[in-house]
Amino acid sequence: MRNITRRDFLKLGAASTAVLAIETQFGPIASAAERLIEGGRSVNRTSGLPRSFLPSTCTQCPAGCGNIGYIEESRVVKIGGNTTHLSNQGSLCARGQAGINALYDPDRLLKPMRRNGLRGKNNWETITWEEAYGEVAKTLAAAKANPSDFVFMTDDIDHDAIGRRFTYAYGSPNAIGSTGFYDANKLVATELTWGDAGDVPDVSKSKYILVFGANPLESNPQFVGLARRMIDGIQRNQAKLVVFDVRLTNTSTRANESYYVNPGTFALVALAMANVIMQEGLYDRGFIEQWTNVSPAQLTQHLAKYTPERAEAETGVSALVIRRIATEFANTHPATTISDAMLSNFANGVQNERAVMLLNIITGNIDVKGGLCLPRKYDLAEPAPVPTVPAPSVLSNPPDLPLASRGSIEKALQQIKEGKQRVSVLMTHGVNPAYSSADGGLVEDMLRDEKMIPYHIAVTPFMTETALLADIILPETTFLEDWDVEVRPSPELVPYVSLRQAVVPPMESTAAFFDIAAKLANLVKGGMEQYFTFKTVNDYLKARIANIPGLAQAGGLEYLRQHGVWYDPKTRPNYGSFMAGGFRTPSGRIEVFSSRLAEKNFSALPSYEPIAAFREIKDDEMVLTIFDTALQTDAKTANCMWLDEIQHDNPAWINSVTAARLGILHGDPIKLLRKEKSGVAKERSVLSTAFVTEGIHPQVVAMANGVGHTAFGHIAEGEKMVPDEIEVSALRDPNITLVWWGHKDGIGVNAKQIVPISPEPIGGGQAWGDMVVTIAKV
């Protein structure tokens, strides 16, 4: 073992200080610190075993943080953060560290399996890969006469390039992603407004941060990267943090001010603030006139109806508070807002998002240091030959959602159920709609129906609720055994490309999705094979990154294998990037007035549209909110032992005043019953336990997402392993004997199963927030 000298220690101190100043000296010093800390150790101090490490990219949540897998005797013993990665800068959340549990999951699928009996009965026979490929290829080849009857569903279609390529090469347009629970409506709103999907709040340099419905310190698509920078902004800039939400969150507890908002009324709060800013003359006239397609006079006239007094009556937030915060926001520079799916997952979600964006627009806080910035990311190449995207279908471009930029699984399922799309073969890849989608019972019934879904291929490492309803399962590698390249919006506003590489070889008979897709394409033929001629996955990845300027000179894929991430070290955030060529909208300006919305008979200007169901709420009815935590996600973390030990239950949050009125005490068993429209015969309800608290709006009941599984494995289902199972599983995870929780301790419930499929009319994402329920003590 190498001894650390005083000189080394001083070097390490200097390097560590520089790591904190990553804005000005990003990678070289951070990587030097890492080499000094880890590269100097030849053995693990505790075990005495040789240790090596490889950088990669986490996929446990949408953030895509840089990670490092530490390996001893060909086994991953730890996952840490990559200090050279611009997004997370060395930090890694619990989900990322628990990826080791997914890799060595005692219930992980290791060999191909074919259904033996009725769907859903969990009767399987193990088959060889040769048999599996042969059967799947034969089925796909037979169905290729009507290629659009092939449907591919994945977790995130924007980051499943192999899935898209395979689907389009087959001749089907139906590559559908599960963006419904995240930001489908937000992405449409931002695309309509400034031409780019998404945003990046430059919170580390901001002095005033308004949060609408989001909880960035616990869960967000940019999670660790945004949370780190938000804390920096609060500590270094003394940024003021104001939160509007329906419950107490990790973010609101750290805010200077926090206010409960009546559910579904976020837009009215934002528009009333915008009205104050315009009426008081606090707006940025120059920016509005030069870079938007409306005039200050038009905006002032439009916003006049959104008075603070009206907002107080409908939102519950004091008019005095609205006026004061609006004035503070406009007078503090720079300032920004933060929003995510909890703002846009209502029936009025797109307008909610546009209303909040308007606050940044009228104050000139667009793409400025500390403001709301355009996303920066590289574009990956689609290797030649590029498959032609087939003509749209009712799934890929629903005719009743003409402005939605992408189809969603919820909408696709609805179209299939209504007979608008025929399905011959369904392939699900890394997605679990039987659990994750709205109206889970309906989805389960559809997947069980062999007339509606004649053949279902599940590509997954785990026996999920969806895989349980497949005809054949192709066991996929986990992200720690897989290869891909990632580009995501950079919270540092400097674009980067990140490599996901196998830190250990695939376990037993599992296969990477690239290999599965390439093998099937070359067996099905019919033209598919020309799109999968790569000799190795590395050849494919080299073609993907070929157009990124500067990467080839730095070493290309080999550089990424060594460092895990690349960015141009000379690049700094280019604020005001739109000034060079305008915004990527039809007009080249921010389209506050959206002619595309007007053409489809939607409000062209940011507007508040009350949710009808909320206006009719009775005394015994409440609005259900389903929220993400820092621990669980839908399709990947359920059987991660470390996470389940912390969060394996999700009691229903209910306000103390409301609970007293309903005669409910803390810990009481309760029933949440979906409010049905007339003519609906089947009752949808869940049983839960009351968590009585003052930390929630009196009209809201809230439950955490990610628990309450009926499949996925022993840990997720709260099942004890019998001795013979433990003996086998201990080879993968010796700590399995330490699992102590189970049904008696509560494994939670999946509240999403009682939410009806209800796409937002503009964005197409699921309107999760519109759910009205009645609550009764059981």
Side-chain angles (χ1 to χ4, degrees):
M1 182 184 301
R2 176 186 172 187
N3 292 322
I4 301 294
T5 66
R6 181 177 183 275
R7 183 175 183 181
D8 286 337
F9 181 80
L10 294 174
K11 286 181 180 178
L12 174 59
S16 300
T17 302
V19 170
L20 295 176
I22 202 163
E23 173 189 350
T24 55
Q25 296 290 337
F26 305 92
I29 294 188
S31 99
E34 183 177 297
R35 284 195 300 272
L36 186 58
I37 296 169
E38 298 293 350
R41 292 184 191 154
S42 59
V43 296
N44 181 322
R45 288 179 177 176
T46 303
S47 67
L49 295 172
R51 171 182 283 190
S52 60
F53 57 88
L54 283 172
S56 189
T57 302
C58 181
T59 66
Q60 290 280 79
C61 85
C65 294
N67 63 9
I68 294 177
Y70 296 86
I71 305 117
E72 294 178 7
E73 295 188 319
S74 301
R75 184 181 178 91
V76 180
V77 295
K78 171 188 173 183
I79 303 174
N82 185 349
T83 58
T84 69
H85 201 286
L86 282 189
S87 179
N88 56 308
Q89 302 176 347
S91 298
L92 199 65
C93 75
R95 286 180 295 211
Q97 295 178 57
I100 194 171
N101 295 157
L103 175 62
Y104 299 119
D105 178 357
D107 292 302
R108 204 179 137 188
L109 303 174
L110 298 176
K111 296 179 180 179
M113 296 193 298
R114 178 195 291 130
R115 174 169 62 91
N116 186 9
L118 296 175
R119 275 190 192 165
K121 294 300 182 182
N122 205 20
N123 293 323
W124 304 91
E125 61 174 322
T126 301
I127 59 176
T128 65
W129 272 108
E130 184 179 3
E131 291 176 291
Y133 282 136
E135 178 179 320
V136 173
K138 181 179 178 181
T139 303
L140 286 170
K144 206 170 185 304
N146 296 295
S148 63
D149 292 349
F150 172 67
V151 177
F152 177 83
M153 292 184 177
T154 186
D155 180 45
D156 183 350
I157 197 60
D158 291 334
H159 291 93
D160 195 338
I162 288 295
R164 292 197 312 270
R165 189 177 184 89
F166 183 86
T167 306
Y168 298 157
Y170 187 81
S172 173
N174 297 320
I176 310 298
S178 178
T179 54
F181 198 75
Y182 293 101
D183 288 326
N185 300 325
K186 177 186 175 77
L187 297 179
V188 171
T190 53
E191 282 178 330
L192 287 169
T193 306
W194 64 9
D196 279 270
D199 57 34
V200 177
D202 194 20
V203 287
S204 67
K205 303 173 184 67
S206 188
K207 294 184 178 180
Y208 205 105
I209 305 169
L210 279 180
V211 179
F212 288 87
N215 184 15
L217 294 184
E218 184 171 8
S219 185
N220 183 273
Q222 298 177 27
F223 190 24
V224 172
L226 182 62
R228 279 191 60 129
R229 289 163 174 82
M230 184 171 169
I231 295 299
D232 284 346
I234 293 171
Q235 292 181 338
R236 295 179 183 179
N237 298 336
Q238 297 298 302
K240 182 169 184 177
L241 177 63
V242 179
V243 176
F244 297 99
D245 211 325
V246 296
R247 69 180 185 95
L248 201 63
T249 67
N250 281 4
T251 303
S252 64
T253 57
R254 290 160 176 78
N256 299 91
E257 300 179 36
S258 178
Y259 300 95
Y260 289 152
V261 182
N262 291 339
T265 65
F266 288 112
L268 185 52
V269 174
L271 292 169
M273 291 176 61
N275 179 29
V276 171
I277 292 169
M278 298 303 297
Q279 294 287 349
E280 298 294 327
L282 302 176
Y283 56 89
D284 187 329
R285 176 180 291 275
F287 184 85
I288 294 173
E289 291 180 343
Q290 183 175 1
W291 291 110
T292 78
N293 64 347
V294 294
S295 68
Q298 287 174 299
L299 274 177
T300 302
Q301 181 180 3
H302 169 69
L303 293 169
K305 58 188 173 185
Y306 300 117
T307 65
E309 289 71 28
R310 176 190 170 186
E312 178 176 354
E314 296 190 46
T315 70
V317 181
S318 162
L320 291 175
V321 168
I322 290 173
R323 290 183 186 279
R324 176 176 55 78
I325 292 177
T327 301
E328 291 176 358
F329 184 83
N331 285 328
T332 306
H333 295 282
T336 190
T337 60
I338 300 177
S339 64
D340 61 18
M342 298 306 288
L343 171 70
S344 59
N345 66 0
F346 292 91
N348 56 8
V350 169
Q351 292 291 6
N352 286 351
E353 183 64 38
R354 278 171 51 80
V356 171
M357 286 186 76
L358 185 62
L359 291 172
N360 302 278
I361 294 167
I362 63 177
T363 54
N365 282 299
I366 294 294
D367 214 47
V368 298
K369 185 176 182 179
L372 188 70
C373 295
L374 292 158
R376 270 77 163 171
K377 67 176 184 178
Y378 288 121
D379 292 324
L380 295 172
E382 187 60 49
V386 179
T388 301
V389 180
S393 72
V394 296
L395 299 192
S396 61
N397 290 85
D400 56 340
L401 296 171
L403 296 173
S405 57
R406 49 186 62 75
S408 70
I409 284 183
E410 283 78 18
K411 185 62 180 179
L413 291 168
Q414 186 181 62
Q415 302 276 38
I416 294 169
K417 175 66 176 176
E418 294 173 355
K420 296 177 180 178
Q421 170 71 46
R422 182 177 178 272
V423 178
S424 59
V425 179
L426 170 68
M427 179 182 285
T428 53
H429 173 226
V431 69
N432 189 13
Y435 172 88
S436 304
S437 295
D439 222 335
L442 173 64
V443 175
E444 184 176 325
D445 291 344
M446 290 175 60
L447 294 176
R448 201 184 298 273
D449 188 337
E450 295 185 39
K451 292 183 179 179
M452 190 174 297
I453 311 288
Y455 193 73
H456 176 193
I457 309 157
V459 184
T460 174
F462 314 111
M463 183 60 80
T464 64
E465 287 86 347
T466 301
L468 196 65
L469 295 162
D471 296 293
I472 194 166
I473 296 175
L474 306 181
E476 185 188 12
T477 52
T478 65
F479 71 96
L480 292 168
E481 308 152 289
D482 198 10
W483 292 82
D484 206 349
V485 284
E486 305 267 356
V487 290
R488 298 175 187 269
S490 170
E492 195 65 35
L493 299 174
V494 171
Y496 63 84
V497 57
S498 184
L499 177 69
R500 188 194 329 151
Q501 68 175 318
V503 298
V504 287
M507 187 175 289
E508 295 192 25
S509 293
T510 60
F513 185 52
F514 172 87
D515 296 322
I516 293 172
K519 181 70 172 180
L520 288 174
N522 282 280
L523 287 174
V524 174
K525 298 187 182 301
M528 289 190 74
E529 67 277 16
Q530 66 178 307
Y531 302 108
F532 288 89
T533 58
F534 312 99
K535 292 182 180 180
T536 66
V537 67
N538 282 351
D539 293 333
Y540 169 74
L541 296 180
K542 287 176 182 177
R544 291 277 280 160
I545 62 176
N547 296 338
I548 296 177
L551 178 54
Q553 291 79 359
L557 187 63
E558 185 58 34
Y559 182 96
L560 291 175
R561 293 183 66 174
Q562 293 180 20
H563 300 272
V565 65
W566 181 86
Y567 53 88
D568 186 342
K570 300 185 295 295
T571 299
R572 295 295 179 267
N574 60 328
Y575 296 108
S577 58
F578 58 87
M579 293 182 182
F583 293 90
R584 291 198 284 191
T585 58
S587 65
R589 299 184 175 204
I590 292 179
E591 297 192 346
V592 177
F593 180 95
S594 174
S595 57
R596 288 174 287 179
L597 285 173
E599 289 169 2
K600 303 302 178 183
N601 297 317
F602 294 110
S603 298
L605 290 165
S607 302
Y608 168 59
E609 298 170 351
I611 297 173
F614 293 177
R615 289 185 174 275
E616 303 167 0
I617 286 183
K618 301 175 183 177
D619 290 342
D620 63 341
E621 294 174 343
M622 302 179 72
V623 176
L624 172 63
T625 291
I626 303 172
F627 61 91
D628 276 341
T629 70
L631 298 168
Q632 297 287 6
T633 58
D634 283 353
K636 298 177 181 178
T637 62
N639 229 36
C640 290
M641 185 171 58
W642 298 344
L643 303 179
D644 276 62
E645 184 167 16
I646 302 170
Q647 182 194 340
H648 47 262
D649 199 2
N650 61 340
W653 292 35
I654 182 171
N655 184 272
S656 54
V657 174
T658 306
R661 177 168 54 81
L662 297 175
I664 295 172
L665 300 177
H666 185 81
D668 279 350
I670 58 174
K671 181 178 184 179
L672 282 70
L673 176 66
R674 179 167 98 186
K675 181 181 180 181
E676 300 284 12
K677 297 179 181 179
S678 59
V680 178
K682 189 172 183 180
E683 175 185 291
R684 297 286 189 191
S685 64
V686 293
L687 297 176
S688 186
T689 303
F691 179 79
V692 179
T693 174
E694 294 182 0
I696 191 167
H697 190 287
Q699 204 174 40
V700 174
V701 57
M703 298 185 71
N705 182 38
V707 296
H709 282 271
T710 57
F712 222 118
H714 287 77
I715 294 170
E717 298 171 68
E719 300 281 354
K720 301 294 184 183
M721 300 194 86
V722 298
D724 61 332
E725 292 173 323
I726 291 175
E727 184 177 351
V728 174
S729 297
L731 297 175
R732 278 183 263 161
D733 192 339
N735 293 317
I736 191 64
T737 57
L738 303 178
V739 175
W740 53 265
W741 61 95
H743 285 270
K744 67 181 179 63
D745 307 293
I747 63 165
V749 295
N750 178 17
K752 296 188 296 295
Q753 64 186 297
I754 68 170
V755 180
I757 294 176
S758 179
E760 204 268 6
I762 301 173
Q766 170 66 22
W768 293 102
D770 291 10
M771 184 73 252
V772 177
V773 298
T774 58
I775 297 181
K777 185 175 178 179
V778 177

